Amino acid sequence: MGESIKKMKSPTFIFFSCVLVLSVIIAILSRPYFTEPIFHVENNKYTFDSEQGNLTTYRSRTADPIEVRLDHQERTVYINHQQYLITKIDSAFSTTYKLIYPNGNKYEVQDHSGQLISFDAKGNSVSEVFLYVGSQRVLQDGEEQISPATLVTAAYPEYHYTRGAPGFLFLALAAVIFGWCSFRYQKFQDFLFYLSLRSFWANDAEPSDFDYFLSKVCGIVVMIGAFWIAINAF
């Protein structure tokens, strides 16, 4: 019993227990961030809210909800009490979407390997680069408030995307463990020494006090770097 308590008080047990608990907490809290599909309309983030029959609702914390009604090959997008009609046309080579705006303007959006490119009724390309003054959108002559590609993205879930790179979290966890082992365990420090080319240059092929010191410093640097890696996952 006393031996078990002693092991539980050891730095290694405390360290790996903290890493395990922190990993579980991060995994639970970050799961929706990495797995929930989203899309943006006018810099407002939208996520799936509900589905009733052929009507799907998406909600945003910063704007009014968007509704999408499905009717075979056609979909109607409702934004701010305006209706946008979209018709999907599949072919052997590409997918095309025909759009009709509330003002009667017609557009075409072509899917090029997942990239949506918009054209107006005359066949001219429609830019997806918008002008902002501060946080306010400034419409150019003939520019629609909501671009055709944005409407297609909102209407079809296959164009929604998930955020972040969860793989970086696993990389950060590996870096923390590697850094701790490099800092804490002499056998691991010896292994790193014999794995390096320096072991072939040394006269006695044994790590010196400086090698052990350098390994500890590198371990600390790697553990600090692990936090930077984890932040880049989001």
Side-chain angles (χ1 to χ4, degrees):
M1 182 65 178
E3 187 68 21
S4 299
I5 295 176
K6 185 177 180 181
K7 288 183 178 180
M8 291 178 64
K9 291 183 178 180
S10 68
T12 297
F13 181 85
I14 295 174
F15 172 79
F16 282 104
S17 296
C18 292
V19 169
L20 177 61
V21 171
L22 185 61
S23 298
V24 172
I25 293 175
I26 292 176
I28 294 174
L29 295 180
S30 63
R31 184 176 181 276
Y33 181 89
F34 293 119
T35 60
E36 186 176 48
I38 67 169
F39 64 92
H40 286 82
V41 175
E42 295 190 299
N43 292 329
N44 298 304
K45 183 189 71 177
Y46 283 86
T47 58
F48 173 83
D49 179 66
S50 63
E51 184 174 359
Q52 296 182 346
N54 62 346
L55 186 66
T56 304
T57 302
Y58 299 94
R59 292 197 179 274
S60 171
R61 294 182 178 180
T62 56
D64 292 334
I66 291 177
E67 295 180 329
V68 180
R69 184 178 298 278
L70 285 66
D71 185 15
H72 301 292
Q73 292 296 98
E74 294 185 351
R75 300 195 180 193
T76 304
V77 181
Y78 299 90
I79 302 178
N80 296 327
H81 307 291
Q82 299 289 320
Q83 299 182 20
Y84 303 84
L85 182 63
I86 304 176
T87 302
K88 182 179 182 180
I89 303 174
D90 288 314
S91 68
F93 303 101
S94 64
T95 300
T96 302
Y97 302 90
K98 302 288 186 178
L99 290 83
I100 301 178
Y101 275 63
N103 56 17
N105 289 342
K106 297 181 179 180
Y107 295 88
E108 179 179 292
V109 176
Q110 298 177 2
D111 183 329
H112 293 267
S113 301
Q115 182 180 3
L116 298 177
I117 301 178
S118 305
F119 300 90
D120 61 19
K122 297 180 180 179
N124 300 317
S125 62
V126 177
S127 175
E128 293 293 326
V129 178
F130 309 121
L131 175 64
Y132 283 86
V133 176
S135 59
Q136 297 296 320
R137 169 95 174 273
V138 179
L139 294 178
Q140 305 298 300
D141 291 339
E143 186 179 41
E144 304 285 359
Q145 183 69 41
I146 303 175
S147 72
T150 298
L151 289 170
V152 172
T153 299
Y156 294 87
E158 55 263 38
Y159 297 113
H160 301 175
Y161 63 94
T162 55
R163 295 164 290 181
F168 279 103
L169 292 181
F170 294 100
L171 181 61
L173 178 61
V176 168
I177 295 175
F178 178 89
W180 173 258
C181 292
S182 182
F183 171 79
R184 180 70 183 176
Y185 303 116
Q186 182 173 332
K187 289 184 178 180
F188 189 76
Q189 295 166 354
D190 293 339
F191 170 75
L192 292 180
F193 174 79
Y194 293 122
L195 197 64
S196 67
L197 293 177
R198 182 172 169 76
S199 62
F200 297 100
W201 300 337
N203 294 328
D204 52 4
E206 293 290 336
S208 63
D209 290 340
F210 177 76
D211 292 319
Y212 288 126
F213 170 77
L214 186 62
S215 182
K216 290 180 179 291
V217 172
C218 290
I220 295 174
V221 172
V222 170
M223 285 189 285
I224 294 175
F227 290 98
W228 179 82
I229 296 174
I231 291 174
N232 278 271
F234 297 92

